[in-house]
Amino acid sequence: VQTLATFPDAPEVEEDADTFAANAVKKAVEIAAWLKDQALGQARPDLVLADDSGLTVNALGGEPGVRSARYAGSEGNAPDNANNAKLLREMEGIPDELRGAQFQCVLALIALDQTAEAVTFDGICRGTIARAQTGKGGFGYDPLFIPEGHTQSFAKLGAVMKNGISHRARALTKLAEHIKQG
């Protein structure tokens, strides 16, 4: 399996679209186009898989959304603690019953040898935003996000549980079904 680490000269794709799907497709298309133009000293991959994901909070009109990693920063990714602190500030005074949120992931798959558009697969994990951070595991908003059906944050549930129920797991399941159907 090849990853972007296999191609250290690959361009950084700016995530400037308004939706997770548009950002994922943009990344897949731009990396596929770049790979087609390269004289690689190794086997060229047949497919490019890209993703975009983040947290949307109902009471905040979908924020932080596509800016999840940059929520507390003006440019570039902000530290997780800064993003979490800003989210807690924005959620002050919001009652428990209105603290609904969801992690969303969109995967975009495109074949290098085709001109067809990218195929997308989405996954959503619904839950709520806690009033304080709990747990040491995970990253990003994991210490604040309590998935439906659970009483602990992703950070407390641990990687094995999170990886089984997360937005990425759900998107990857749809991708696997697509591949099986051929």
Side-chain angles (χ1 to χ4, degrees):
V1 173
Q2 297 172 316
T3 68
L4 275 179
T6 309
F7 305 100
D9 296 332
E12 181 92 14
V13 178
E14 185 177 359
E15 298 177 50
D16 57 0
D18 292 335
T19 66
F20 296 118
N23 277 332
V25 168
K26 180 179 181 187
K27 289 191 271 189
V29 167
E30 287 188 22
I31 294 299
W34 177 82
L35 283 167
K36 283 182 186 179
D37 290 341
Q38 299 305 301
L40 301 174
Q42 59 193 338
R44 189 178 316 275
D46 296 325
L47 304 167
V48 171
L49 179 66
D51 88 311
D52 194 31
S53 59
L55 178 72
T56 61
V57 178
N58 302 349
L60 301 179
E63 291 293 323
V66 295
R67 296 193 39 80
S68 290
R70 303 177 298 276
Y71 192 47
S74 58
E75 292 188 30
N77 292 352
D80 291 346
N81 283 339
N83 285 333
N84 285 320
K86 180 176 180 179
L87 180 59
L88 285 173
R89 282 191 308 276
E90 297 291 326
M91 297 291 292
E92 282 180 14
I94 295 178
D96 290 347
E97 64 272 11
L98 298 178
R99 297 177 77 86
Q102 46 278 326
F103 273 118
Q104 182 176 355
C105 173
V106 177
L107 301 173
L109 181 69
I110 191 165
L112 262 64
D113 64 349
Q114 297 177 358
T115 57
E117 295 202 14
V119 180
T120 60
F121 309 90
D122 69 317
I124 293 175
C125 182
R126 298 187 195 289
T128 59
I129 300 300
R131 295 193 171 276
Q133 295 185 58
T134 60
K136 300 287 183 202
F139 62 94
Y141 298 97
D142 287 358
L144 290 175
F145 185 79
I146 301 170
E148 278 184 355
H150 297 273
T151 58
Q152 296 179 319
S153 71
F154 264 161
K156 280 195 97 163
L157 287 172
V160 172
M161 176 63 76
K162 177 187 172 184
N163 291 341
I165 64 172
S166 76
H167 51 304
R168 285 188 184 90
R170 293 172 184 189
L172 285 167
T173 297
K174 290 178 181 178
L175 169 65
E177 289 169 4
H178 173 77
I179 291 170
K180 283 180 190 175
Q181 293 171 359

